[in-house]
Amino acid sequence: MMTSLTPEYLTGLEAVLPRATMRSKGSADVSIGARALLPRSQETGWALAAALSEAQTPEERSLVEVQLLAAAAADLAVAERLAGAPEESKSLRGDAPDDALIWQGLTNPASLLRPTIHPPRYRGADKDLQAAIYQTLTSIQEDVIETTADAITAALTMNIAILREAAKLAGLDVKQALEDLGADEVVTFVIEAWQKLADLIGEDNFDKIENTLSESIEKLREKTAVATYVRKFLDVDGIYRECRTLVQHYAGPDQGLARLTPEILALEGSFAGRNKLAATLIRLLSLAKLAKVLRTPPWGPMIVASGYLLIIGYELYSAHDHVDSDRFPFFDRVAGVQTLITTGLGGD
Protein backbone atom coordinates (compact mmCIF):
# COMPACT_ATOMS: atom_id res chain seq x y z
CA MET A 1 0.00 0.00 0.00
CA MET A 2 2.84 2.38 0.79
CA THR A 3 4.61 1.76 -2.53
CA SER A 4 2.96 4.84 -4.08
CA LEU A 5 4.76 7.08 -1.57
CA THR A 6 8.48 7.01 -2.19
CA PRO A 7 11.05 7.75 0.53
CA GLU A 8 12.20 10.69 -1.60
CA TYR A 9 8.71 12.23 -1.48
CA LEU A 10 8.30 11.73 2.26
CA THR A 11 11.77 13.08 3.01
CA GLY A 12 11.23 16.06 0.74
CA LEU A 13 7.85 16.81 2.30
CA GLU A 14 9.25 16.60 5.82
CA ALA A 15 11.82 19.26 4.93
CA VAL A 16 8.97 21.69 4.21
CA LEU A 17 6.19 20.26 6.38
CA PRO A 18 7.88 18.80 9.49
CA ARG A 19 6.13 16.00 11.32
CA ALA A 20 6.82 17.86 14.57
CA THR A 21 4.47 20.67 15.56
CA MET A 22 7.08 23.37 14.81
CA ARG A 23 6.59 25.27 11.59
CA SER A 24 9.36 25.45 9.01
CA LYS A 25 12.30 27.75 9.70
CA GLY A 26 12.12 30.58 7.21
CA SER A 27 10.68 31.48 3.83
CA ALA A 28 14.01 30.97 2.05
CA ASP A 29 14.37 27.44 3.46
CA VAL A 30 10.75 26.67 2.55
CA SER A 31 11.28 27.86 -1.00
CA ILE A 32 14.39 25.73 -1.47
CA GLY A 33 12.66 22.67 -0.05
CA ALA A 34 9.54 23.28 -2.11
CA ARG A 35 11.47 23.44 -5.38
CA ALA A 36 13.01 20.05 -4.61
CA LEU A 37 9.65 18.63 -3.50
CA LEU A 38 7.56 19.69 -6.52
CA PRO A 39 8.62 16.92 -8.96
CA ARG A 40 8.25 14.36 -6.16
CA SER A 41 4.75 15.60 -5.45
CA GLN A 42 3.85 15.34 -9.13
CA GLU A 43 5.20 11.79 -9.31
CA THR A 44 3.28 10.87 -6.17
CA GLY A 45 0.07 12.23 -7.67
CA TRP A 46 0.54 10.16 -10.82
CA ALA A 47 1.33 7.04 -8.81
CA LEU A 48 -1.69 7.44 -6.54
CA ALA A 49 -4.00 8.13 -9.49
CA ALA A 50 -2.77 4.92 -11.13
CA ALA A 51 -3.19 3.00 -7.87
CA LEU A 52 -6.77 4.26 -7.56
CA SER A 53 -7.66 3.11 -11.06
CA GLU A 54 -6.04 -0.28 -10.45
CA ALA A 55 -7.48 -0.93 -6.97
CA GLN A 56 -9.43 -4.17 -6.89
CA THR A 57 -11.41 -3.83 -3.65
CA PRO A 58 -13.28 -1.08 -1.78
CA GLU A 59 -10.67 -1.35 0.98
CA GLU A 60 -7.81 -0.69 -1.43
CA ARG A 61 -9.67 2.20 -3.04
CA SER A 62 -10.39 3.74 0.35
CA LEU A 63 -6.73 3.69 1.37
CA VAL A 64 -5.65 5.32 -1.88
CA GLU A 65 -8.39 7.95 -1.69
CA VAL A 66 -7.26 8.94 1.81
CA GLN A 67 -3.68 9.23 0.59
CA LEU A 68 -4.72 11.35 -2.41
CA LEU A 69 -6.70 13.66 -0.12
CA ALA A 70 -3.74 13.92 2.25
CA ALA A 71 -1.29 14.53 -0.60
CA ALA A 72 -3.50 17.33 -1.95
CA ALA A 73 -3.68 18.81 1.55
CA ALA A 74 0.12 18.58 1.79
CA ASP A 75 0.43 20.58 -1.44
CA LEU A 76 -1.87 23.28 -0.07
CA ALA A 77 0.02 23.34 3.24
CA VAL A 78 3.26 23.91 1.31
CA ALA A 79 1.57 26.66 -0.74
CA GLU A 80 0.40 28.34 2.47
CA ARG A 81 3.92 28.34 3.86
CA LEU A 82 5.32 29.69 0.62
CA ALA A 83 2.74 32.48 0.74
CA GLY A 84 4.32 33.57 4.01
CA ALA A 85 1.29 33.06 6.27
CA PRO A 86 0.00 36.65 6.05
CA GLU A 87 -1.34 38.30 9.17
CA GLU A 88 -4.98 37.95 8.13
CA SER A 89 -4.61 34.16 7.92
CA LYS A 90 -3.98 33.67 11.64
CA SER A 91 -7.65 33.52 12.56
CA LEU A 92 -8.23 30.94 9.83
CA ARG A 93 -5.37 28.71 10.95
CA GLY A 94 -6.38 28.51 14.62
CA ASP A 95 -4.33 26.72 17.24
CA ALA A 96 -4.49 23.15 15.94
CA PRO A 97 -2.17 22.56 12.96
CA ASP A 98 -3.36 20.25 10.22
CA ASP A 99 0.12 18.80 9.67
CA ALA A 100 -0.39 15.77 11.93
CA LEU A 101 -3.60 14.82 10.11
CA ILE A 102 -1.86 15.15 6.74
CA TRP A 103 0.97 12.87 7.85
CA GLN A 104 -1.50 10.40 9.30
CA GLY A 105 -3.40 10.28 6.02
CA LEU A 106 -0.21 9.76 4.03
CA THR A 107 1.56 7.19 6.19
CA ASN A 108 -1.26 5.45 8.05
CA PRO A 109 -4.44 5.90 5.99
CA ALA A 110 -6.14 2.90 7.59
CA SER A 111 -6.17 4.71 10.94
CA LEU A 112 -8.42 7.38 9.44
CA LEU A 113 -10.97 4.80 8.30
CA ARG A 114 -11.83 3.35 11.70
CA PRO A 115 -15.36 3.81 13.07
CA THR A 116 -15.80 6.65 15.53
CA ILE A 117 -19.20 5.39 16.73
CA HIS A 118 -19.33 2.70 19.40
CA PRO A 119 -21.49 -0.36 18.66
CA PRO A 120 -24.95 -0.08 20.24
CA ARG A 121 -25.58 -1.83 23.56
CA TYR A 122 -27.07 -5.23 22.81
CA ARG A 123 -30.86 -5.08 22.61
CA GLY A 124 -31.29 -7.79 20.02
CA ALA A 125 -29.62 -8.30 16.66
CA ASP A 126 -32.40 -6.56 14.73
CA LYS A 127 -32.55 -3.49 16.97
CA ASP A 128 -28.76 -3.20 17.08
CA LEU A 129 -28.54 -3.29 13.29
CA GLN A 130 -31.27 -0.68 12.94
CA ALA A 131 -29.46 1.53 15.44
CA ALA A 132 -26.16 1.14 13.53
CA ILE A 133 -27.87 2.04 10.25
CA TYR A 134 -29.46 5.13 11.78
CA GLN A 135 -26.26 6.26 13.51
CA THR A 136 -24.15 5.80 10.39
CA LEU A 137 -26.55 7.57 8.04
CA THR A 138 -27.03 10.43 10.50
CA SER A 139 -23.30 10.84 11.12
CA ILE A 140 -22.52 10.98 7.40
CA GLN A 141 -25.29 13.50 6.77
CA GLU A 142 -24.16 15.76 9.63
CA ASP A 143 -20.55 15.64 8.44
CA VAL A 144 -21.55 16.61 4.91
CA ILE A 145 -23.74 19.48 6.06
CA GLU A 146 -20.93 20.92 8.21
CA THR A 147 -18.14 20.55 5.67
CA THR A 148 -20.18 21.63 2.66
CA ALA A 149 -21.39 24.69 4.59
CA ASP A 150 -17.78 25.63 5.35
CA ALA A 151 -16.77 25.18 1.71
CA ILE A 152 -19.74 27.18 0.42
CA THR A 153 -19.08 29.96 2.93
CA ALA A 154 -15.46 30.16 1.78
CA ALA A 155 -16.38 29.98 -1.91
CA LEU A 156 -19.04 32.67 -1.64
CA THR A 157 -16.43 35.20 -0.55
CA MET A 158 -15.46 35.13 -4.22
CA ASN A 159 -17.16 36.75 -7.19
CA ILE A 160 -20.27 34.76 -8.13
CA ALA A 161 -19.47 35.08 -11.84
CA ILE A 162 -16.12 33.41 -11.24
CA LEU A 163 -17.81 30.61 -9.31
CA ARG A 164 -20.29 30.04 -12.11
CA GLU A 165 -17.48 29.82 -14.63
CA ALA A 166 -15.40 27.59 -12.34
CA ALA A 167 -18.29 25.12 -12.12
CA LYS A 168 -17.58 24.24 -15.76
CA LEU A 169 -14.70 22.05 -14.65
CA ALA A 170 -14.27 20.27 -17.95
CA GLY A 171 -13.47 23.57 -19.64
CA LEU A 172 -10.79 24.68 -17.20
CA ASP A 173 -7.37 24.81 -18.87
CA VAL A 174 -4.99 24.19 -15.99
CA LYS A 175 -1.90 24.20 -18.21
CA GLN A 176 -2.84 27.58 -19.64
CA ALA A 177 -3.45 28.90 -16.15
CA LEU A 178 0.00 27.78 -15.05
CA GLU A 179 1.57 29.33 -18.14
CA ASP A 180 -0.21 32.67 -17.71
CA LEU A 181 0.45 32.95 -13.99
CA GLY A 182 4.11 32.06 -14.40
CA ALA A 183 6.23 29.67 -12.41
CA ASP A 184 5.19 31.08 -9.04
CA GLU A 185 5.73 28.38 -6.43
CA VAL A 186 2.46 29.07 -4.61
CA VAL A 187 0.54 28.60 -7.85
CA THR A 188 2.34 25.41 -8.81
CA PHE A 189 1.52 23.74 -5.50
CA VAL A 190 -2.11 24.88 -5.53
CA ILE A 191 -2.43 23.49 -9.07
CA GLU A 192 -0.78 20.25 -7.91
CA ALA A 193 -3.42 19.98 -5.20
CA TRP A 194 -6.11 20.74 -7.81
CA GLN A 195 -4.79 17.95 -10.02
CA LYS A 196 -4.88 15.41 -7.20
CA LEU A 197 -8.48 16.37 -6.42
CA ALA A 198 -9.33 16.05 -10.11
CA ASP A 199 -7.77 12.57 -10.14
CA LEU A 200 -9.77 11.69 -7.04
CA ILE A 201 -13.04 12.54 -8.75
CA GLY A 202 -11.94 11.43 -12.20
CA GLU A 203 -11.73 14.04 -14.94
CA ASP A 204 -13.98 11.85 -17.09
CA ASN A 205 -16.68 12.49 -14.48
CA PHE A 206 -16.46 16.29 -14.58
CA ASP A 207 -19.38 16.65 -16.95
CA LYS A 208 -21.48 14.43 -14.68
CA ILE A 209 -20.99 16.59 -11.58
CA GLU A 210 -21.16 20.04 -13.18
CA ASN A 211 -24.94 20.36 -12.76
CA THR A 212 -24.64 19.54 -9.08
CA LEU A 213 -21.91 22.13 -8.60
CA SER A 214 -23.81 24.80 -10.53
CA GLU A 215 -26.91 24.08 -8.47
CA SER A 216 -24.96 24.25 -5.22
CA ILE A 217 -23.49 27.71 -5.81
CA GLU A 218 -26.87 29.12 -6.83
CA LYS A 219 -28.85 27.69 -3.92
CA LEU A 220 -26.54 27.30 -0.95
CA ARG A 221 -26.30 30.79 0.51
CA GLU A 222 -26.67 29.91 4.18
CA LYS A 223 -26.31 26.89 6.41
CA THR A 224 -30.05 26.16 6.57
CA ALA A 225 -30.08 25.98 2.79
CA VAL A 226 -27.07 23.66 2.84
CA ALA A 227 -28.81 21.34 5.31
CA THR A 228 -31.95 21.21 3.18
CA TYR A 229 -29.96 20.59 0.01
CA VAL A 230 -27.80 17.85 1.53
CA ARG A 231 -30.81 16.05 3.02
CA LYS A 232 -32.48 16.02 -0.36
CA PHE A 233 -29.29 15.00 -2.17
CA LEU A 234 -28.50 12.08 0.16
CA ASP A 235 -32.09 11.05 1.04
CA VAL A 236 -30.91 9.26 4.17
CA ASP A 237 -34.48 9.22 5.53
CA GLY A 238 -35.70 7.24 2.55
CA ILE A 239 -32.70 4.91 2.70
CA TYR A 240 -33.23 4.33 6.41
CA ARG A 241 -36.90 3.46 5.90
CA GLU A 242 -36.05 0.95 3.18
CA CYS A 243 -33.30 -0.64 5.26
CA ARG A 244 -35.47 -0.78 8.37
CA THR A 245 -38.20 -2.55 6.40
CA LEU A 246 -35.72 -5.18 5.19
CA VAL A 247 -34.47 -5.75 8.73
CA GLN A 248 -37.99 -6.05 10.12
CA HIS A 249 -38.99 -8.58 7.45
CA TYR A 250 -35.83 -10.64 7.69
CA ALA A 251 -36.67 -14.21 8.69
CA GLY A 252 -33.20 -15.73 8.84
CA PRO A 253 -30.92 -16.42 11.80
CA ASP A 254 -29.75 -13.59 14.06
CA GLN A 255 -26.17 -14.12 12.89
CA GLY A 256 -27.15 -12.71 9.50
CA LEU A 257 -28.14 -9.45 11.19
CA ALA A 258 -25.30 -9.40 13.72
CA ARG A 259 -22.53 -9.69 11.13
CA LEU A 260 -23.85 -6.63 9.28
CA THR A 261 -23.70 -4.28 12.28
CA PRO A 262 -19.88 -3.83 12.28
CA GLU A 263 -19.88 -3.56 8.48
CA ILE A 264 -22.37 -0.69 8.64
CA LEU A 265 -20.40 1.06 11.41
CA ALA A 266 -17.23 0.67 9.34
CA LEU A 267 -18.85 2.88 6.67
CA GLU A 268 -19.22 5.65 9.24
CA GLY A 269 -15.47 5.54 9.88
CA SER A 270 -14.72 5.27 6.18
CA PHE A 271 -16.50 8.52 5.45
CA ALA A 272 -15.45 10.30 8.65
CA GLY A 273 -11.78 9.96 7.71
CA ARG A 274 -12.37 11.33 4.23
CA ASN A 275 -14.43 14.16 5.70
CA LYS A 276 -11.68 15.22 8.11
CA LEU A 277 -9.27 15.62 5.22
CA ALA A 278 -11.86 17.44 3.09
CA ALA A 279 -12.37 19.92 5.93
CA THR A 280 -8.59 20.36 6.17
CA LEU A 281 -8.38 21.02 2.43
CA ILE A 282 -10.97 23.79 2.75
CA ARG A 283 -9.07 25.49 5.57
CA LEU A 284 -5.75 25.26 3.74
CA LEU A 285 -7.18 26.53 0.46
CA SER A 286 -8.67 29.49 2.34
CA LEU A 287 -5.17 30.29 3.61
CA ALA A 288 -3.38 29.79 0.31
CA LYS A 289 -5.85 31.96 -1.63
CA LEU A 290 -4.65 35.00 0.35
CA ALA A 291 -1.45 34.99 -1.72
CA LYS A 292 -1.40 37.91 -4.13
CA VAL A 293 -0.79 35.74 -7.18
CA LEU A 294 -3.97 33.77 -6.48
CA ARG A 295 -5.96 37.00 -6.41
CA THR A 296 -4.74 37.88 -9.91
CA PRO A 297 -7.58 37.50 -12.44
CA PRO A 298 -8.65 35.58 -14.29
CA TRP A 299 -6.71 32.41 -13.51
CA GLY A 300 -5.83 32.88 -9.84
CA PRO A 301 -9.41 33.20 -8.57
CA MET A 302 -10.57 30.61 -11.12
CA ILE A 303 -8.18 27.94 -9.81
CA VAL A 304 -9.16 28.68 -6.21
CA ALA A 305 -12.88 28.65 -6.99
CA SER A 306 -12.66 25.37 -8.90
CA GLY A 307 -10.64 23.94 -6.01
CA TYR A 308 -13.49 24.66 -3.62
CA LEU A 309 -15.95 23.13 -6.06
CA LEU A 310 -13.87 19.96 -6.48
CA ILE A 311 -13.87 19.51 -2.71
CA ILE A 312 -17.63 20.07 -2.54
CA GLY A 313 -18.20 17.66 -5.41
CA TYR A 314 -16.06 14.97 -3.83
CA GLU A 315 -17.71 15.44 -0.43
CA LEU A 316 -21.23 15.13 -1.83
CA TYR A 317 -20.61 12.17 -4.13
CA SER A 318 -18.46 10.25 -1.67
CA ALA A 319 -21.14 10.68 0.99
CA HIS A 320 -23.78 9.49 -1.45
CA ASP A 321 -21.61 6.50 -2.28
CA HIS A 322 -21.41 5.63 1.43
CA VAL A 323 -25.16 5.90 2.10
CA ASP A 324 -25.84 4.37 -1.32
CA SER A 325 -28.42 4.30 -4.04
CA ASP A 326 -28.32 3.73 -7.78
CA ARG A 327 -28.51 7.39 -8.77
CA PHE A 328 -24.78 7.85 -9.44
CA PRO A 329 -23.27 4.59 -10.70
CA PHE A 330 -20.25 6.46 -12.10
CA PHE A 331 -19.10 7.15 -8.51
CA ASP A 332 -19.20 3.68 -6.98
CA ARG A 333 -16.17 3.25 -4.72
CA VAL A 334 -17.60 1.40 -1.69
CA ALA A 335 -20.54 -0.85 -0.92
CA GLY A 336 -22.76 1.65 0.88
CA VAL A 337 -25.31 1.18 3.63
CA GLN A 338 -28.19 0.39 1.31
CA THR A 339 -26.18 -2.11 -0.74
CA LEU A 340 -24.90 -3.94 2.34
CA ILE A 341 -28.39 -4.29 3.77
CA THR A 342 -30.07 -5.19 0.48
CA THR A 343 -27.52 -7.83 -0.49
CA GLY A 344 -26.94 -9.05 3.05
CA LEU A 345 -30.61 -9.58 3.85
CA GLY A 346 -31.66 -10.89 0.46
CA GLY A 347 -33.53 -7.85 -0.82
CA ASP A 348 -33.90 -7.01 -4.49
Side-chain angles (χ1 to χ4, degrees):
M1 179 59 234
M2 296 304 301
T3 54
S4 295
L5 302 181
T6 64
E8 292 80 6
Y9 169 70
L10 296 174
T11 300
L13 180 61
E14 189 161 18
V16 185
L17 195 72
R19 299 191 195 214
T21 54
M22 303 174 51
R23 289 179 67 80
S24 300
K25 303 171 204 173
S27 58
D29 292 332
V30 172
S31 183
I32 293 169
R35 280 197 294 273
L37 174 64
L38 181 60
R40 304 301 184 194
S41 176
Q42 292 170 330
E43 291 164 4
T44 295
W46 300 331
L48 287 171
L52 182 60
S53 67
E54 294 166 5
Q56 299 296 309
T57 67
E59 293 75 18
E60 290 176 359
R61 281 190 290 274
S62 291
L63 292 171
V64 178
E65 284 194 20
V66 167
Q67 287 188 312
L68 260 173
L69 285 164
D75 289 332
L76 291 181
V78 173
E80 181 257 332
R81 281 156 173 73
L82 287 166
E87 194 67 27
E88 60 265 38
S89 75
K90 289 181 179 177
S91 62
L92 289 170
R93 186 186 305 120
D95 296 325
D98 296 308
D99 304 9
L101 183 64
I102 291 171
W103 279 105
Q104 184 182 2
L106 288 171
T107 62
N108 190 10
S111 66
L112 280 174
L113 297 170
R114 294 170 186 155
T116 65
I117 295 176
H118 296 296
R121 180 179 298 177
Y122 185 75
R123 295 177 302 164
D126 57 341
K127 290 184 173 59
D128 287 355
L129 180 54
Q130 288 182 57
I133 294 168
Y134 180 81
Q135 288 177 305
T136 296
L137 292 173
T138 301
S139 174
I140 291 171
Q141 178 172 267
E142 289 175 351
D143 280 348
V144 178
I145 289 171
E146 189 69 31
T147 300
T148 304
D150 289 345
I152 287 291
T153 299
L156 288 176
T157 62
M158 308 184 73
N159 186 295
I160 191 67
I162 291 173
L163 287 171
R164 287 172 180 150
E165 189 64 27
K168 302 170 186 174
L169 293 171
L172 186 62
D173 190 338
V174 177
K175 291 181 180 178
Q176 187 63 50
L178 189 57
E179 182 178 323
D180 289 355
L181 289 169
D184 185 278
E185 292 168 339
V186 174
V187 172
T188 56
F189 274 95
V190 171
I191 287 180
E192 263 311 296
W194 187 98
Q195 188 60 61
K196 290 179 176 68
L197 290 169
D199 289 336
L200 195 60
I201 289 175
E203 293 191 41
D204 290 344
N205 294 328
F206 278 4
D207 60 333
K208 299 181 180 71
I209 71 171
E210 282 178 359
N211 287 340
T212 296
L213 295 178
S214 297
E215 186 178 45
S216 69
I217 62 176
E218 297 298 335
K219 291 185 176 180
L220 309 184
R221 302 295 181 140
E222 54 189 43
K223 190 166 182 176
T224 54
V226 174
T228 300
Y229 180 83
V230 168
R231 290 189 182 105
K232 181 179 178 182
F233 184 82
L234 297 182
D235 189 27
V236 299
D237 290 341
I239 290 172
Y240 176 70
R241 286 193 298 270
E242 291 181 22
C243 291
R244 183 181 60 188
T245 298
L246 285 172
V247 173
Q248 291 172 339
H249 287 83
Y250 175 72
D254 281 357
Q255 294 94 319
L257 300 172
R259 69 176 176 77
L260 284 170
T261 297
E263 293 183 33
I264 296 297
L265 292 175
L267 285 168
E268 179 276 332
S270 174
F271 185 74
R274 289 165 164 83
N275 179 69
K276 287 177 185 175
L277 285 165
T280 295
L281 282 159
I282 294 163
R283 288 193 296 273
L284 290 169
L285 185 56
S286 295
L287 292 171
K289 78 174 181 183
L290 297 173
K292 183 178 179 180
V293 67
L294 290 173
R295 289 179 282 176
T296 304
W299 290 115
M302 188 71 71
I303 289 294
V304 172
S306 64
Y308 282 126
L309 293 174
L310 282 173
I311 298 167
I312 291 168
Y314 178 76
E315 179 82 0
L316 288 171
Y317 283 91
S318 182
H320 199 286
D321 186 32
H322 280 74
V323 301
D324 213 54
S325 82
D326 297 327
R327 280 173 57 204
F328 306 114
F330 71 88
F331 203 99
D332 184 12
R333 310 282 177 83
V334 301
V337 172
Q338 193 172 40
T339 290
L340 287 179
I341 296 301
T342 301
T343 57
L345 299 184
D348 294 329

